[in-house]
Amino acid sequence: MIKAALSSTILSSAFLIIQTTWMKNGLVWGVIPDFCLLVILWVAYNNRNSQGVITGFFSGIVCDFLSSSPLGYFSFLYIIPAYAATFLRKVVTMDAFFIPVLFGFAGTVLKGLASIFLLLIYGPEYMSAYSLSDYRFWIEATLNGALAPLLFFGLSKIRRLLVTKKVTE
Amino acid sequence: MPQKKRSRGILATQKTPIILIAVSLLMISISTRSILSLPGAVASAVTGGIQYVFSSVGGFVKRTIFSISELADLRDQYNSLADKLKTYETLQRNFADMMSENARLKEQLGFAQNLTTIKASTQIIAKDPGNLYTSYVIDKGSAAGITKNMAVAAFQNGMQGLAGKILDARSKSSVVLPIFDQRFFVSARLSRTRNEGLVNGQGNPDDPLVMRYVSKLNAAEIQIGDMVVTSGLDSIYPSDLAIGRVKEIQLPEYSSSAIILLEPSLNFSRLEYLFVIQKEESPSSPDAATIAESPPRDEK
């Protein structure tokens, strides 16, 4: 489990670096898709226990270091969708297209709601949050949904690195 | 045995996620130094949320009912604005003449002296990983003499404009907090009327900057399109760096000061190179001796 959690954290962190550099000007109307979130969702769905949540926590810490956000902010934002994805593995069967799209879109919405929750608690002087009336938020959700099938397909090819043996067997 | 497992409570089965969520919230509380005010903040967030919902519903009903009478007011406002527009057209004709005259006078009086020094010319190498926070990473850091809170400017369309400030200086790179971030504040002044105020961003490069604390009495002199520059009154930013132009003037009933919305001077989507600048006091300034004797404000 440690090996899989470590490799999934490294992979999601690599995607974070890509988001900050190669995709710094955004993909559509300046909006950057959240590949890191998609990796976390995939890991959370495909692993038992709390591996997705652990990956979300550590990837969030890396994201906090890369961002000007307060430490712990993105950890919280990534834990919540990961937690939901861990639950969903019991009720949803993954397919090639529709479920990944749903995961990418719903995961972004959950991330947005988590950011609003933090804004309500800590206040705007410390926190930024998604605005549900902002078109950029919905573009990000749509982008994440659209890119999820492709990324999930790619991740399934390196499944043995990211999923603990107990589940795959 | 499996039946026993199922009967365990949520705290026992979901230990790891709950612990990690708690750790995240604790880290946020520590890093924002808001841990002491957290219980109060939670309570006020809940009550504030309820108040907001009630206020929104009330506001919606009120706006709908009064929108008819507002139409009549709008017609009166339209007529008065048409008169004002004629005055502004005359003013605009005089503007070009005044600009050239001003440039000549500045040259004669020696006001063109540049009070800032460029510390480093840098390139943006990365931006924030998500769409929530806005920060730029530049390719020079403390090794190039950059320190926290230095002003950052950019040249665009032949104009030097304020881009932000250094949030964190690492050895080979630095993090820049851009002017449109909602945590950014700068003391500013209207270039024409010399009224002072405080400018801050709204978190998005497409949204206008907000200038506050300009008295409503003085707001009458302000015109759409007026340039707002740094006042130089704080210890970070040099004076007369362009910030933006007046886009809209709001006069809220609840406040004695106006809210002025500004169109940023810089187009942040096209920003590529930035200049880290250091405020430098003019040696010829009459206050220079006094400043030299007093302790620097940053040491507080």
Side-chain angles (χ1 to χ4, degrees), chain A residues 16 19-21 24-25 31-32 50 53-54 57 61 63 65-73 75-77 79-80 83 87 118 120-122 124-130 135-136 140, chain B residues 10 14 16-18 20-21 23-25 27-29 31-34 38 41-42 45 124-135 167 170 175 177 181-183 204 206-207 269:
Chain A
L16 280 175
Q19 282 170 226
T20 60
T21 50
K24 66 182 178 189
N25 292 324
V31 177
I32 307 166
S50 304
V53 173
I54 293 166
F57 177 78
I61 296 277
C63 192
F65 283 124
L66 292 171
S67 168
S68 58
S69 60
L71 191 65
Y73 180 81
S75 295
F76 185 82
L77 259 57
I79 285 173
I80 303 299
Y83 194 39
F87 270 117
L118 288 180
L120 286 172
I121 289 185
Y122 292 96
E125 63 268 37
Y126 298 116
M127 295 288 152
S128 282
Y130 283 107
Y135 72 95
R136 278 173 288 257
E140 187 186 332
Chain B
I10 191 164
Q14 305 297 332
T16 316
I18 290 166
L20 291 179
I21 285 172
V23 170
S24 299
L25 290 173
M27 283 194 303
I28 298 171
S29 301
S31 62
T32 57
R33 295 173 189 173
S34 59
L38 193 60
V42 173
I124 296 172
I125 52 168
K127 286 183 184 171
D128 219 88
N131 303 304
L132 269 170
Y133 280 85
T134 48
S135 61
L167 189 69
R170 301 157 186 169
V175 180
L177 186 73
D181 192 286
Q182 55 194 16
R183 295 166 292 170
N204 198 299
D206 299 333
D207 292 338
S269 62

Side-chain angles (χ1 to χ4, degrees), chain B residues 187-207:
Chain B
S187 172
R189 165 180 286 152
L190 278 132
S191 190
R192 191 176 58 81
T193 63
R194 313 309 285 169
N195 293 319
E196 285 165 8
L198 195 67
V199 170
N200 88 299
Q202 297 196 79
N204 198 299
D206 299 333
D207 292 338

Side-chain angles (χ1 to χ4, degrees), chain B residues 97-117:
Chain B
D97 296 336
M98 284 170 72
M99 281 285 282
S100 57
E101 188 185 353
N102 184 40
R104 280 198 307 275
L105 287 169
K106 264 188 174 178
E107 202 178 340
Q108 283 173 20
L109 292 167
F111 281 172
Q113 181 190 10
N114 192 5
L115 298 180
T116 62
T117 54

Side-chain angles (χ1 to χ4, degrees), chain B residues 74-89:
Chain B
L74 278 171
R75 194 171 54 190
D76 295 338
Q77 281 176 16
Y78 172 78
N79 291 333
S80 70
L81 282 171
D83 292 336
K84 270 188 181 176
L85 187 64
K86 281 177 190 168
T87 319
Y88 290 146
E89 278 172 354

Side-chain angles (χ1 to χ4, degrees), chain B:
Chain B
M1 281 302 278
Q3 279 176 347
K4 255 187 181 177
K5 237 182 184 179
R6 258 180 245 126
S7 64
R8 287 160 71 194
I10 191 164
L11 274 173
T13 53
Q14 305 297 332
K15 210 190 290 174
T16 316
I18 290 166
I19 289 170
L20 291 179
I21 285 172
V23 170
S24 299
L25 290 173
L26 186 69
M27 283 194 303
I28 298 171
S29 301
I30 292 167
S31 62
T32 57
R33 295 173 189 173
S34 59
I35 195 160
L36 295 174
S37 59
L38 193 60
V42 173
S44 62
V46 173
T47 52
I50 296 166
Q51 284 171 328
Y52 177 77
V53 170
F54 272 79
S55 161
S56 301
V57 172
F60 175 74
V61 173
K62 194 181 165 187
R63 278 195 302 276
T64 311
I65 291 167
F66 288 105
S67 60
I68 300 160
S69 65
E70 276 174 6
L71 280 171
D73 294 340
L74 278 171
R75 194 171 54 190
D76 295 338
Q77 281 176 16
Y78 172 78
N79 291 333
S80 70
L81 282 171
D83 292 336
K84 270 188 181 176
L85 187 64
K86 281 177 190 168
T87 319
Y88 290 146
E89 278 172 354
T90 318
L91 285 170
Q92 199 180 16
R93 279 194 288 273
N94 297 331
F95 182 67
D97 296 336
M98 284 170 72
M99 281 285 282
S100 57
E101 188 185 353
N102 184 40
R104 280 198 307 275
L105 287 169
K106 264 188 174 178
E107 202 178 340
Q108 283 173 20
L109 292 167
F111 281 172
Q113 181 190 10
N114 192 5
L115 298 180
T116 62
T117 54
I118 292 176
K119 194 81 186 169
S121 163
T122 67
Q123 189 179 5
I124 296 172
I125 52 168
K127 286 183 184 171
D128 219 88
N131 303 304
L132 269 170
Y133 280 85
T134 48
S135 61
Y136 299 132
V137 180
I138 52 173
D139 63 349
K140 288 199 175 84
S142 54
I146 295 172
T147 56
K148 194 179 171 182
N149 283 334
M150 275 184 172
V152 179
F155 288 98
Q156 226 172 40
N157 303 324
M159 186 189 272
Q160 188 186 30
L162 183 66
K165 71 169 183 178
I166 300 291
L167 189 69
D168 184 22
R170 301 157 186 169
S171 85
K172 297 280 180 194
S173 65
S174 303
V175 180
V176 176
L177 186 73
I179 192 168
F180 57 80
D181 192 286
Q182 55 194 16
R183 295 166 292 170
F184 187 97
F185 291 91
V186 56
S187 172
R189 165 180 286 152
L190 278 132
S191 190
R192 191 176 58 81
T193 63
R194 313 309 285 169
N195 293 319
E196 285 165 8
L198 195 67
V199 170
N200 88 299
Q202 297 196 79
N204 198 299
D206 299 333
D207 292 338
L209 306 170
V210 184
M211 186 175 186
R212 297 173 206 274
Y213 308 115
V214 176
S215 163
K216 273 184 179 174
L217 296 170
N218 296 330
E221 302 169 355
I222 301 164
Q223 294 173 3
I224 304 296
D226 275 357
M227 176 59 85
V228 174
V229 295
T230 51
S231 69
L233 291 175
D234 49 46
S235 56
I236 302 173
Y237 310 102
S239 58
D240 292 327
L241 271 176
I243 294 174
R245 285 189 183 277
V246 175
K247 188 183 174 189
E248 191 184 326
I249 303 162
Q250 295 175 351
L251 303 167
E253 287 175 17
Y254 57 82
S255 172
S256 60
S257 50
I259 295 173
I260 301 166
L261 302 182
L262 312 175
E263 187 75 47
S265 309
L266 301 171
N267 182 347
F268 287 91
S269 62
R270 280 171 36 210
L271 224 53
E272 206 174 343
Y273 297 96
L274 293 173
F275 299 91
V276 181
I277 53 179
Q278 192 172 23
K279 190 177 180 182
E280 196 179 79
E281 296 299 337
S282 168
S284 60
S285 162
D287 294 328
T290 328
I291 291 161
E293 281 166 18
S294 61
R297 275 177 283 180
D298 283 352
E299 282 180 15
K300 273 181 185 176

